[in-house]
Amino acid sequence: MKMFSTLSICILVAQLQTSLAQVSIVGAGKKVDPYHYEVVKNGQFRRASVSSAHPLASMVGAAIMEQGGNAFDAGIATQLALAVVYPGAGNIGGGGFLLARQSNGELIGLDYREAAPSKANRDMYLDKNGTVLPALSQFGHLASGIPGTVAGLFATLPYAKLPFKTLIQPAIDLAEKGFVITEKQVSSFNAERENFIKNNSHPVAFVKEGKWHVGDTLVQKDLAATLKRIQNEGAKGFYGGETAKLIVAEMQSGNGIINEEDLMNYTAKLRNPIEFDYRGNHIISFAPPSSGGIIINQMLKMIEKYPVGTFGFQSAKSVQLMVEVERRAYADRAEHMGDPDFWKVPVKTLTSDKYLTERMKDYTSDKAGNSANINAGTIHESEETTHISIMDAQGNMVSITTTLNGGYGCKTVVGGAGFLLNNEMDDFSVKPGVPNMYGAIGGEANAIAPGKRMLSSMTPTLILKNKKPYVVIGTPGGTTIPTSVFQGIVNIIDFNMSAADAINKPKFHHQWLPDMVMIEKDFDASTKKQLMAMGYKLVERDGIGRTEAIRILSDGKKETAADVRGDDSVAGF
Ligand code: DON
């Protein structure tokens, strides 16, 4: 049972229709037509569903489950499809986190975050005078960490049911035969044209003779060949052989430092999830090297003592309280969080009742708090990470956030291999106290070291109600990720909203430094006024996050919602 939403676009290509429209991407009689498709924002599905950043990727995930795959199969296939149809963030050259609860109740936290190359050092982005060189940590070869995604896919495989060959085939077809790009992708490719030219010595698929137009098809032959190597050789098809050679050659053609051993030695790691109760619900989220799970644990526990539901949705009273807990949690992020294999993160203390009560001692309900020693950083607007929420008919819940960091990562495509590399190194604290591209500040805990994983904000999250699957949620958005997930959870639990409302209502964000509340354009005007009167500095900004959520309704249906801020789309059956 599908409900097509208002924001539904139909993409038609006159020239290609007749010759290509019959391509069946997913075999077994289940067609995903890459030349005609629409964005579907909401649906209620009886058995299984997916919400992701691109309609084709969601359809691939749902089709895989219809063919007998479970939510893990869908997670693998959807990520691979996103690497083709959503190259700004979907990836095989980046990394991510998968958080899952199996139908038997077992939890899985899979960390396939990028790692610093063996030749990295803590001052690698500073000049002789110790000044930060952001161009190096954000663009080109040196910005890339060792990619983790392919290792993550293979570490997920033991939980899946179908052969890997089947799961990767839709992505291969989409790359080889092409797909029609959306209007948003047309603008994005045109806007990035000069960046692609500047950061690449080989021709790249995202740059064509003239401008991209609505209805154009993107074909990625080099990427298809790389995906086939992975299909035939497994993870070695990426971390070894031809692909590894191409990555290392690309590194050597620029100022990159990733070498063959770095690739060979990369492994995905299991992490014990962060778990806590909030108003009778059980919340499960990601542990370090993500800061997300700890931050939402802190924020939700700090507001739990207040009857937020009675304050009114986005009343000055509820927003002010939530802003103040955001401020406190993000201050802790800057000081205490980093890769747990290199830095002892005091998880227990940071999330203990005693500590959080103490943190709220100086809270006053009608006055803006103050982040002393303000060192304002500029918040980067282009944010490209991507989230996938999946539930299947067996009761598996899968929540995956994966990233290249900035839009199109470091903008460098591996010559001959057709995939973009990440610029995740910028998520390290390149110099204590100096903000990164998301304005995040850090210190020793998140300093660069060989093999270390950079601190993340990605917050793939699950909620159980009465010990049963209830919600799968997550989002991109850099440092705004934990606040988006926090607000999504509060909207569902405290304000009884549908999944769609919970993710689409205007959001706000405070991250300690810079000391300001970022708000989306349609944020309530009277609340704005009252917050300013309390002493808050409000700054309007573009959309915060692109959250994908699935919530189980009392009749068992999966209410599946995709964020209205992008081409995000749901699919299910
Ligand atoms: O891991 C992190 O926190 C960042 N690299 C995420 C970047 C991001 O969300 C950008 N996307 N919208």
Side-chain angles (χ1 to χ4, degrees), residues 113 383-385 403 405 424 427 438 456-458 476-478 481:
R113 180 77 166 159
E383 297 175 337
E384 292 296 342
T385 294
T403 185
N405 197 20
E424 220 72 57
D427 269 350
Y438 297 106
S456 174
S457 299
M458 293 188 287
I481 293 172

Side-chain angles (χ1 to χ4, degrees), residues 206-241:
F206 317 118
V207 176
K208 60 177 224 168
E209 270 293 301
K211 286 199 159 192
W212 290 93
H213 295 105
V214 174
D216 281 349
T217 295
L218 174 66
V219 173
Q220 300 170 83
K221 295 276 186 209
D222 287 346
L223 177 57
T226 300
L227 294 171
K228 280 184 193 163
R229 286 193 292 274
I230 300 171
Q231 185 180 44
N232 293 329
E233 300 160 39
K236 283 202 188 105
F238 183 87
Y239 293 103

Side-chain angles (χ1 to χ4, degrees), residues 223-521:
L223 177 57
T226 300
L227 294 171
K228 280 184 193 163
R229 286 193 292 274
I230 300 171
Q231 185 180 44
N232 293 329
E233 300 160 39
K236 283 202 188 105
F238 183 87
Y239 293 103
E242 176 70 9
T243 313
K245 270 202 195 105
L246 290 169
I247 296 173
V248 173
E250 183 62 55
M251 285 289 138
Q252 286 164 356
S253 77
N255 54 352
I257 54 174
I258 298 176
N259 60 32
E260 281 182 13
E261 292 75 58
D262 289 336
L263 293 167
M264 234 160 50
N265 294 337
Y266 183 87
T267 51
K269 298 183 179 182
L270 285 169
R271 307 281 184 195
N272 286 331
I274 301 284
E275 293 183 74
F276 58 98
D277 289 329
Y278 176 67
R279 298 197 205 281
N281 298 270
H282 190 64
I283 316 274
I284 305 156
S285 192
F286 217 89
S290 177
S291 57
I294 299 179
I295 295 184
I296 65 163
N297 184 340
Q298 292 187 303
M299 295 190 297
L300 287 165
K301 282 311 219 188
M302 283 191 270
I303 68 164
E304 198 180 29
K305 299 203 164 79
Y306 302 82
V308 177
T310 67
F311 289 179
F313 171 68
Q314 282 184 10
S315 64
K317 204 169 172 177
S318 63
V319 174
Q320 195 261 351
L321 171 66
M322 290 167 76
V323 162
E324 287 306 324
V325 302
E326 289 175 6
R327 181 198 307 280
R328 285 160 177 78
Y330 276 83
D332 281 345
R333 179 194 196 278
E335 182 67 22
H336 298 298
M337 301 180 209
D339 182 343
D341 296 340
F342 287 73
W343 182 263
K344 189 158 174 13
V345 182
V347 182
K348 273 218 172 101
T349 307
L350 289 173
T351 55
S352 74
D353 220 39
K354 186 165 166 257
Y355 177 80
L356 294 172
T357 308
E358 189 63 34
R359 289 294 271 159
M360 287 300 275
K361 272 223 163 110
D362 55 354
Y363 166 71
T364 21
S365 63
D366 53 0
K367 210 171 128 242
N370 183 357
S371 303
N373 307 321
I374 296 163
N375 184 5
T378 33
I379 301 300
H380 205 274
E381 298 263 312
S382 151
E383 297 175 337
E384 292 296 342
T385 294
T386 191
H387 181 80
I388 309 168
S389 290
I390 309 173
M391 284 203 206
D392 66 19
Q394 295 80 53
N396 295 302
M397 310 165 81
V398 172
S399 189
I400 301 168
T401 315
T402 170
T403 185
L404 288 169
N405 197 20
Y408 306 96
C410 71
K411 326 260 185 196
T412 300
V413 171
V414 175
F419 63 89
L420 282 152
L421 289 166
N422 64 83
N423 59 345
E424 220 72 57
M425 292 296 283
D426 192 66
D427 269 350
F428 277 117
S429 172
V430 301
K431 185 177 178 180
V434 176
N436 73 359
M437 66 192 265
Y438 297 106
I441 287 172
E444 197 51 39
N446 190 31
I448 303 172
K452 188 171 173 183
R453 299 181 182 203
M454 52 298 279
L455 182 63
S456 174
S457 299
M458 293 188 287
T459 314
T461 297
L462 309 171
I463 308 179
L464 306 181
K465 193 174 175 175
N466 302 324
K467 305 202 163 110
K468 296 220 177 75
Y470 182 40
V471 173
V472 179
I473 189 168
T475 183
T479 44
T480 67
I481 293 172
T483 46
S484 279
V485 173
F486 170 50
Q487 288 166 44
I489 294 174
V490 170
N491 289 349
I492 289 174
I493 295 178
D494 293 82
F495 296 115
N496 295 314
M497 284 186 198
S498 66
D501 277 352
I503 64 176
N504 291 324
K505 292 278 183 194
K507 296 208 205 87
F508 54 93
H509 170 72
H510 194 295
Q511 61 179 46
W512 179 53
L513 293 176
D515 192 351
M516 56 165 81
V517 185
M518 287 164 236
I519 49 168
E520 288 188 304
K521 286 198 180 69

Side-chain angles (χ1 to χ4, degrees), residues 164-190:
F164 190 80
K165 278 190 186 330
T166 309
L167 303 179
I168 198 172
Q169 192 59 46
I172 293 174
D173 289 346
L174 286 163
E176 198 157 52
K177 294 166 186 157
F179 67 97
V180 172
I181 58 176
T182 68
E183 211 172 318
K184 286 194 172 70
Q185 290 179 312
V186 168
S187 329
S188 172
F189 288 166
N190 287 338

